[in-house]
Amino acid sequence: MKNPSVRVARWSAHHPWRAIAGWIVFVVICLGCGLAIGGHAATSQDYRVGEAGRAEALAAQGGLQQKPVERVLISVKGAGRPDGAVASEVRRRMSGLAEVESVAAPVRSADGRAVRVDVTMRGPELEGRKHVAPLLAQTAEVQRAHPGLRVEESGSPSISKDVQGQRGDDLSRTELIALPVTLIVLLLVFRSVVMAVVPLLLSVSSIMAGIGLSMVASHVFPDAGVGTNVILLIGMAVGVDYTLFYLKRDREERARSGGRLSRAAAVEIAAATSGRAVVVSGLAVAASSATLYLAGDVIFASLATGAIVVTVAAMVSSLTVLPALLAKLGRRTPRRAARSGGGRLTSAVLRPVAERPALALGVAVAAMLALAGPLLGMRLTDVGRETYSRDLPAMQAFDRVNAAFPELKSVNQVVVKAAPEHRAQVVTALGALAHRVTADPLYSGRTRMRTSADGRITMLEVPVPAYASEKRAQASLDRLRTDHIPATVGGLRGAEVAVTGDVARYADYPEHQKHRLPIILGALLLVTFVITAWAFRSIVLGLAGVGLNLLSAAASLGVLTAVFQHRWAEGLLGFTSMGSIGSRVPLFLFVILFGLSMDYQVFTLSRVQEAVRRGVPARTAALEGIRGSAGVVTSAAIVMVTVFASFVPLHLIEMKQIGFSLAVAVLLDAFVIRLVILPALLLLIGRTAWWPSRRRPVPASAPDVLENVG
């Protein structure tokens, strides 16, 4: 009874209705508070990193920050040139909207077959998508009035609106796939409708609580729009996992006692064993996710917040309301233990491992290192707008706008801050810079210079006829920073110069992540070691946990690189390769995989530890514990893979990469790490695995608990 999870389970089992009502109230309060307070979305300044971010901050000081701009493209469907009267009609309609700040004069394309009208919206750039609907409606009206022409609209606001809508539709389809498949897997595991529905109900309620809590937390850590994705992804996975660990142990103990064990006693045994594993695992996932805050990036902070709140909610539900449900539903569920999800497979794999552990360890580690090999050639880039689905109307218009006006594909913005009295020198130096870039074939189009009202901030915009992800655009940024700027404005005394724009943001974000990666990885390794060593009172197991998690994460990222950085799997998985991996993906995966790997590691080692406590020799205990946990680990892995794989069909390439890599990692972790490498390692090191612990570990074994509750 020193174990807090046992005390909570005992109270819950003896007061089931109070516990169930308490959980429902908790979920309602979390969701209600979130809806009442509302979420706090990240603003433009929250996204600023590197030199690009510094330049954006300077531009904002002078009111020169980027604003939401929509471009209306008028083009002919066949031969001919569009009438200028249509552009005038667009200008008139747009000028009358409250959401519009200004409308530029029409610009005709070089071949004369297209005309564009640039519309600048009021408010911050990131707020544009919330107010773009009236503009789209006016464009649609013009299109209906001129069916012989193609009148369409694109820009950051309309693209963001379409992407958000597509993301919502994708997530709805994901839920429709993940929930039924998860239910089928649980039915096969438990052979009981009641017991299969319980994990789903608790997972869904934990997700609801997590969404509410994340909305409250967003006032401290602004929401970058990705929190809900993570809550759904992690919530289903850990929610089902934690409930599954608990439920399987409860059924196992009741079956072992032959019906002599009371429902409350079985619940307490499950709390003393699997319950503690859930606590340790939940803390590990939360602590691992928290290392993402060290990235100094609003997107990673949003991901961390979502993962933490839903993991904590799932952990609390498993420790509080689940014992009450088991106490109330105990008589309606079969007492026989469900057959091991991988019984024959487990025996077939463990037999050669037990006979030749050194060989098994060597072969398995070599195979994992081979899978990790492509990681050495991983190329990280930011995910540009050009990677979005072409099913979106705004993206179809985006392509046609950039085809007609290639100078709009990307832009470099040189921002200079200097005292007002030096304005003339700044303008002269930027004029010299404009002359240099005009003569440089890397750039094209007319440069534009703007100065703030107080004369302190001046910006020169340098168009590049290439997308930010293309080599020409990257070369243009490099030449600006290393050649053209040092030869012109870089020599001004007392002036602060920085470059931003599409190209700079694309280049600087991955560099920012590379500099942060060692810090986060170091913190992650430390967290994994400390939690494992603390949970099992073993430095050896702490080091082993770090090594196994690194191996699993590296192998999954290697497979990710081999699949998504090349083109051979495009048709199979429905994507267009960027020739790279999204810069946010590896860091997020490392953190989440380390946390999720602790699920299986803690549960498996807990069963091994129980056998050691009963006096079973260390090598025998290793095999016994792994056999005893294999069914649960296999079942949980199937559920996790189902959830993660359901994200692969999504349109957003980053979500595809994350879902695919997580699914691969769980498969490797459950079937290679836990069935081959871990048992082989434990067999080889024997009792040394538990060094330096000499006293009995904390968790009580089933016989101990029976003695206490008998």
Side-chain angles (χ1 to χ4, degrees):
M1 292 299 293
K2 292 180 180 180
N3 189 333
S5 60
V6 176
R7 293 200 300 270
V8 173
R10 168 168 284 190
W11 183 90
S12 183
H14 284 88
H15 306 86
W17 290 118
R18 293 184 190 178
I20 294 170
W23 173 250
I24 294 174
V25 170
F26 173 76
V27 173
V28 170
I29 289 175
C30 289
L31 197 56
C33 287
L35 293 174
I37 297 174
H40 175 64
T43 59
S44 297
Q45 53 263 38
D46 293 319
Y47 289 90
R48 294 169 184 163
V49 297
E51 181 182 333
R54 183 162 52 85
E56 289 168 22
L58 293 177
Q61 292 176 21
L64 303 178
Q65 68 271 22
Q66 196 161 330
K67 295 185 177 182
V69 175
E70 286 288 284
R71 293 189 168 97
V72 180
L73 182 70
I74 306 163
S75 59
V76 293
K77 295 180 179 179
R81 296 159 63 94
D83 189 349
V86 181
S88 298
E89 181 182 350
V90 170
R91 293 193 70 195
R92 177 180 57 79
R93 285 176 173 271
M94 294 298 183
S95 298
L97 296 177
E99 295 82 4
V100 172
E101 180 179 288
S102 63
V103 182
V107 179
R108 189 171 292 273
S109 63
D111 61 7
R113 299 187 60 191
V115 175
R116 84 169 197 268
V117 177
D118 292 349
V119 183
T120 302
M121 298 177 63
R122 300 182 189 276
E125 181 185 9
L126 295 182
E127 296 289 316
R129 65 180 174 84
K130 298 179 182 179
H131 312 293
V132 74
L135 282 74
L136 293 170
Q138 292 300 323
T139 299
E141 287 291 334
V142 177
Q143 174 65 86
R144 281 191 287 270
H146 302 278
L149 297 174
R150 181 185 288 115
V151 184
E152 54 194 339
E153 182 179 334
S154 182
S156 294
S158 55
I159 291 174
S160 294
K161 182 177 183 295
D162 280 2
V163 169
Q164 286 292 102
Q166 186 182 64
R167 180 187 296 171
D169 293 341
D170 282 350
L171 291 176
S172 297
R173 282 194 296 270
T174 295
E175 293 170 10
L176 291 176
I177 296 171
L179 288 175
V181 174
T182 300
L183 181 59
I184 291 171
V185 172
L186 293 173
L187 283 171
L188 294 175
V189 171
F190 291 111
R191 292 173 172 77
S192 165
V193 174
V194 173
M195 299 295 277
V197 169
V198 167
L200 278 182
L201 288 177
L202 291 186
S203 296
V204 171
S205 62
S206 297
I207 289 171
M208 293 171 63
I211 289 174
L213 290 172
S214 69
M215 294 174 74
V216 176
S218 68
H219 292 271
V220 179
F221 304 104
D223 180 21
V226 295
T228 302
N229 292 8
V230 175
I231 289 173
L232 292 173
L233 188 74
I234 304 300
M236 278 298 296
V238 300
V240 170
D241 264 13
Y242 295 164
T243 311
L244 190 61
F245 292 165
Y246 213 114
L247 285 173
K248 290 278 283 186
R249 190 55 182 261
D250 172 80
R251 292 190 66 186
E252 181 182 319
E253 295 303 333
R254 289 197 296 122
R256 182 182 297 168
S257 70
R260 298 189 306 275
L261 196 63
S262 70
R263 287 174 292 167
V267 167
E268 290 184 38
I269 295 171
T273 52
S274 294
R276 182 176 183 274
V278 166
V279 172
V280 174
S281 176
L283 292 176
V285 175
S288 298
S289 301
T291 62
L292 284 173
Y293 289 122
L294 299 174
D297 174 74
V298 66
I299 294 177
F300 281 118
S302 186
L303 292 171
T305 301
I308 291 171
V309 295
V310 78
T311 299
V312 171
M315 181 177 68
V316 171
S317 73
S318 297
L319 297 176
T320 56
V321 70
L322 181 56
L325 290 172
L326 288 175
K328 293 300 296 181
L329 300 175
R331 291 177 179 173
R332 301 183 186 181
T333 58
R335 286 180 177 173
R336 67 178 178 84
R339 290 185 301 176
S340 172
R344 293 181 181 177
L345 174 63
T346 301
S347 298
V349 173
L350 284 181
R351 190 177 300 113
V353 172
E355 292 173 356
R356 296 184 177 179
L359 178 62
L361 180 64
V363 171
V365 170
M368 295 288 280
L369 290 176
L371 291 176
L375 182 59
L376 298 176
M378 176 183 282
R379 179 172 174 260
L380 298 179
T381 61
D382 198 12
V383 178
R385 188 179 298 161
E386 61 272 19
T387 65
Y388 293 157
S389 170
R390 263 46 190 181
D391 294 337
L392 302 176
M395 287 308 301
Q396 295 173 8
F398 173 82
D399 287 338
R400 282 190 277 266
V401 167
N402 288 320
F405 302 93
E407 68 274 11
L408 298 178
K409 288 184 175 180
S410 61
V411 64
N412 290 302
Q413 297 172 317
V414 182
V415 184
V416 183
K417 178 181 180 180
E421 55 268 24
H422 296 152
R423 177 178 178 179
Q425 295 96 309
V426 171
V427 170
T428 300
L430 283 176
L433 175 60
H435 179 74
R436 288 175 66 99
V437 298
T438 301
D440 192 323
L442 278 176
Y443 313 90
S444 72
R446 296 176 58 184
T447 61
R448 184 173 69 143
M449 190 184 304
R450 293 185 291 155
T451 303
S452 63
D454 62 5
R456 298 172 64 87
I457 310 295
T458 307
M459 176 190 291
L460 179 70
E461 295 183 346
V462 183
V464 181
Y467 290 120
S469 59
E470 296 177 1
K471 291 182 178 179
R472 177 175 179 175
Q474 294 299 307
S476 75
L477 174 67
D478 183 64
R479 189 169 297 178
L480 261 182
R481 287 176 168 173
T482 61
D483 185 7
H484 296 317
I485 289 178
T488 54
V489 290
L492 293 175
R493 280 190 172 185
E496 185 175 354
V497 184
V499 182
T500 185
D502 308 314
V503 188
R505 283 192 289 268
Y506 183 90
D508 290 357
Y509 192 86
E511 286 301 313
H512 173 78
Q513 298 308 320
K514 288 177 184 177
H515 292 147
R516 293 282 183 163
L517 183 59
I519 299 172
I520 297 174
L521 189 55
L524 189 59
L525 297 178
L526 180 61
V527 165
T528 302
F529 171 77
V530 169
I531 290 180
T532 306
W534 164 75
F536 299 105
R537 308 297 192 271
S538 169
I539 292 176
V540 174
L541 288 179
L543 293 173
V546 169
L548 294 182
N549 287 353
L550 270 176
L551 190 61
S552 175
S556 64
L557 287 172
V559 175
L560 173 71
T561 304
V563 172
F564 280 90
Q565 198 161 296
H566 305 286
R567 296 189 176 276
W568 64 271
E570 287 181 329
L572 182 64
L573 297 179
F575 70 96
T576 299
S577 175
M578 305 187 301
S580 61
I581 302 299
S583 59
R584 287 182 286 266
V585 173
L587 185 53
F588 175 71
L589 289 176
F590 255 116
V591 171
I592 297 302
L593 290 178
F594 265 65
L596 295 180
S597 293
M598 291 293 287
D599 272 357
Y600 302 150
Q601 185 166 290
V602 169
F603 189 77
T604 300
L605 290 177
S606 293
R607 298 300 291 260
V608 175
Q609 190 181 59
E610 288 179 40
V612 171
R613 286 199 52 193
R614 294 198 303 270
V616 177
R619 290 175 174 80
T620 305
L623 294 175
E624 181 181 316
I626 288 167
R627 284 195 185 96
S629 61
V632 181
V633 169
T634 301
S635 303
I638 293 172
V639 171
M640 269 201 179
V641 170
T642 299
V643 173
F644 295 148
S646 67
F647 277 70
V648 174
L650 299 187
H651 288 87
L652 293 179
I653 189 68
E654 279 186 305
M655 294 307 299
K656 277 179 175 290
Q657 293 178 355
I658 288 173
F660 175 83
S661 189
L662 285 172
V664 170
V666 169
L667 283 173
L668 292 175
D669 201 75
F671 295 102
V672 180
I673 298 291
R674 306 305 157 199
L675 289 183
V676 180
I677 296 179
L678 179 61
L681 183 63
L682 293 177
L683 288 172
L684 289 172
I685 63 178
R687 181 64 190 176
T688 306
W690 305 99
W691 183 84
S693 177
R694 292 186 177 180
R695 63 186 181 86
R696 296 182 71 187
V698 172
S701 64
D704 296 326
V705 178
L706 280 171
E707 183 180 336
N708 289 333
V709 301

